[in-house]
Amino acid sequence: MLPATFKLCAGISYRHMRNMTGLRKNAMVAIHHELNMLAGPNPSSWISHVRRRSSLLSSRIEEEQGYNEVEMSYVKQGEEALQKSISILGDQDGWTTEIIAANGDKVLSKVLPDVGKVFKLEVLLDQRSDNLYVELVGNMEQMGDWNPNVKEVKILQKIGQETMVTHEVSGPTPGNVVGPRDFVSVRCAKRRGSTCFLAGMSTQHPTMPEQRGVVRAENGPTCIVMRPSADDPNKTKFTWLLSIDLKGWIPKTIINKVLSQTQVDFANHLRQRMADNSVSMEMAPAC
């Protein structure tokens, strides 16, 4: 019964069937019914993952209304980046340690077919997930102010509340080991319960062709996942999946070192940014 249910849900991906309101409703009711029957009193972790994916599917159906074909293509790309990232992060096997910092920050890596080498940063931040989400999503264009590895982030287009197309320019690396790079990315920002996601992958946008003197690199799937620590809800378990093709003739040993160190540096810069924000709020005059 479950495969038939997923076929019903998959059917709504066709344009002529998306307009059939009854079919959309039946699809979501059916999949939740099947998941409840499979779950029993103690649902397994994979059931939880599928439930979250069905929630994302429901959100996608709602968001499709009113978007033109180009906008919908960006929405679907963002959703694809998120789903691929969830799948990669859900597989705990095969990860190799790249860096373990003195404060416990950790970078792992693994090689995936059709993707290549991916990196995973795992840290615990002394900040609430909501505050981090506001900084990384709401204040995205300010990232160049506090992260020296990023020169500029510009939002080229927003599609609804959860999808945007951005242009990022990398900052200089020590010794200029890696020259100027830029990225055009579609980003999917979602909040599901207490967990926050910021996923992305490379795309194209008519307002941002390749720039002279800058190598257009590619990324994705990438994803930041933030959820409250089980021990302290005022702290956040922060995971960042990174997959980048820097292009150019750069030895893999250098790329691996640069990318893993970039993740560790990012965590430290983010900590400092959030600490500075807290100080600014404490010093702000009362209304």
Side-chain angles (χ1 to χ4, degrees):
M1 180 61 184
L2 185 59
T5 301
F6 275 99
K7 287 180 181 179
L8 174 61
C9 292
I12 60 178
S13 65
Y14 293 97
R15 184 176 299 275
H16 70 281
M17 299 182 76
R18 285 202 297 264
N19 297 325
M20 299 172 64
T21 304
L23 179 59
R24 296 201 307 270
K25 181 178 179 180
N26 290 341
M28 297 314 303
V29 170
I31 192 171
H32 282 291
H33 174 72
E34 291 295 330
L35 290 172
N36 287 334
M37 292 187 65
L38 281 172
N42 297 303
S44 63
S45 59
W46 78 266
I47 288 292
S48 298
H49 285 161
V50 176
R51 275 187 172 142
R52 284 197 292 272
R53 293 187 181 190
S54 71
S55 176
L56 297 176
L57 172 62
S58 176
S59 175
R60 178 163 67 246
I61 295 169
E62 295 171 1
E63 291 175 351
E64 285 182 357
Q65 306 307 310
Y67 294 156
N68 61 38
E69 187 173 348
V70 173
E71 291 170 334
M72 272 310 307
S73 70
Y74 287 131
V75 171
K76 290 179 179 179
Q77 288 175 52
E79 294 279 2
E80 179 184 354
L82 179 57
Q83 297 300 339
K84 284 185 176 180
S85 297
I86 290 174
S87 177
I88 294 171
L89 292 173
D91 184 358
Q92 300 300 317
D93 296 329
W95 293 93
T96 300
T97 301
E98 294 279 344
I99 296 176
I100 298 181
N103 62 358
D105 291 358
K106 182 165 54 176
V107 177
L108 308 173
S109 69
K110 70 190 301 186
V111 178
L112 299 173
D114 302 324
V115 176
K117 192 164 189 175
V118 298
F119 297 83
K120 178 175 64 171
L121 172 72
E122 294 181 339
V123 303
L124 184 66
L125 299 176
D126 294 331
Q127 295 287 336
R128 294 183 64 87
S129 300
D130 288 347
N131 296 339
L132 292 166
Y133 186 86
V134 169
E135 181 62 44
L136 295 176
V137 179
N139 301 331
M140 183 180 295
E141 291 187 317
Q142 299 177 21
M143 187 175 292
D145 296 341
W146 55 269
N147 184 358
N149 292 318
V150 176
K151 183 177 180 180
E152 180 184 39
V153 177
K154 182 180 180 181
I155 298 175
L156 303 177
Q157 183 177 354
K158 284 188 175 182
I159 304 98
Q161 297 297 315
E162 298 182 338
T163 307
M164 66 192 78
V165 181
T166 64
H167 178 239
E168 310 101 48
V169 181
S170 66
T173 58
N176 200 31
V177 174
V178 179
R181 294 307 195 261
D182 75 342
F183 306 83
V184 175
S185 308
V186 59
R187 298 179 183 239
C188 176
K190 289 184 180 290
R191 304 176 73 163
R192 291 294 177 264
S194 59
T195 303
C196 305
F197 303 89
L198 178 59
M201 64 186 298
S202 286
T203 190
Q204 296 180 348
H205 197 271
T207 67
M208 192 56 64
E210 293 191 19
Q211 309 293 297
R212 177 175 296 182
V214 179
V215 176
R216 177 62 51 86
E218 295 182 356
N219 66 80
T222 66
C223 187
I224 289 174
V225 182
M226 298 169 283
R227 60 182 183 273
S229 167
D231 300 323
D232 185 349
N234 292 313
K235 296 183 179 181
T236 298
K237 185 175 182 182
F238 187 101
T239 303
W240 176 20
L241 176 71
L242 177 65
S243 172
I244 285 184
D245 182 355
L246 292 174
K247 303 297 184 180
W249 298 93
I250 307 175
K252 289 185 177 181
T253 53
I254 293 179
I255 292 176
N256 294 341
K257 184 177 181 179
V258 168
L259 293 181
S260 56
Q261 187 61 49
T262 295
Q263 288 192 294
V264 172
D265 292 344
F266 175 84
N268 292 328
H269 296 316
L270 180 57
R271 286 189 178 99
Q272 187 61 52
R273 172 67 168 186
M274 300 307 294
D276 292 344
N277 287 349
S278 298
V279 171
S280 297
M281 291 180 64
E282 292 174 0
M283 297 179 63
C287 297

